[in-house]
Amino acid sequence: MSPALDPVLALAPRLPSPVWRVDDERLAGRGVELRLKRDDLVHPAVPGNKWRKLAPNLRAALDEGHARLLTFGGAYSNHIRAVAAAGAAVGLGTVGVIRGDELARAPRNWSLARAEAYGMELAFWDRARFRETLSGLAEPGTVRRLEERWGRSYVLPEGGTNVAAARGAAEIVAELPDLGPGDVVCCAVGTGGTLAGIATALPEGARALGVAVVKGARYLDGEVARLHELGWGRAFANWRIDHDHHGGGYGRVPAGLAAFAEDFEERHGLAVERRYVAKMLRCVYDLAGGPALPPGSRVTAVITGPPDPV
Ligand SMILES: *Cc1c(COP(=O)(O)O)cnc(C)c1O
């Protein structure tokens, strides 16, 4: 489809996303080069990997004649806001099922208020029901019950990760034609969809390093492998997940990490998103020059989103 006829591509004003070179003597001294793939600039309301992951799903929803997207997320989910904005932009209705029934009575936080402003209908479910529904999404009965309430819907899991989303994330690598041996593409890992997609598109000798932002999330390795099996019918051996830079858990930003992010912002003029991007960059600096990122490595760090508004 030509860009002019593709309502989803028409949504993205800035592709390919720019690549920035970072000059930092701390890395240069260890023989490591750093570049930033500025996916945070892809779209003002559907930034970063959220646009990458949603684009193929939006196309599928439109192709299949859906009128509505239905998805799941937490109270501050970047995915929820992205779906609300993307749905509004391409003319699809949106439903967001939010974890935590207590939130129904609380004043809307900025993230949920923004989703509602894009026209998303919010439903607040208790944690048990939320979890059971998400784990049963592959079963027709689960989707049928959702559609009994909301009508025929294109259902996206929490975080928007599925095989189509991973294929969308692979486009990040398609925009980096100079990759080869010695290159490492880094990204933060929430559900693993972005890392899975990146790994599938790398040339021989290049590697992908994901940085888990959730504590003790070994299941993420299995999730990436499952996506590869499902979508590509094979395993890939060119990726791994670092489980040591989650900062204490999802959403936690310890003082040392905040200080690192502020210092990076001052040195390099990038506004650093804290829940994902700061942890990923910190990991790169920690591992630079060691066995995971030996001298001679060139790291392309994917900036998967902008900071939250203050
Ligand atoms: C959602 C998100 C991620 C995690 O992506 P996954 O594909 O779920 O692993 C990383 N960075 C930012 C900024 C995000 O919003």
Side-chain angles (χ1 to χ4, degrees), residues 59-83:
R59 281 192 196 99
L62 294 170
D63 286 352
E64 294 164 21
H66 283 277
R68 185 179 300 100
L69 304 168
L70 189 155
T71 194
F72 301 83
Y76 292 94
S77 166
N78 293 340
H79 167 68
I80 287 286
R81 287 196 312 287
V83 168

Side-chain angles (χ1 to χ4, degrees), residues 49-50 53 78-79 159 161 188-195 273 276-277 304-306:
N49 64 342
K50 299 301 180 280
K53 292 167 69 175
N78 293 340
H79 167 68
T161 285
V189 176
T191 64
T194 305
L195 175 66
E273 189 279 334
Y276 295 93
V277 175
T304 40

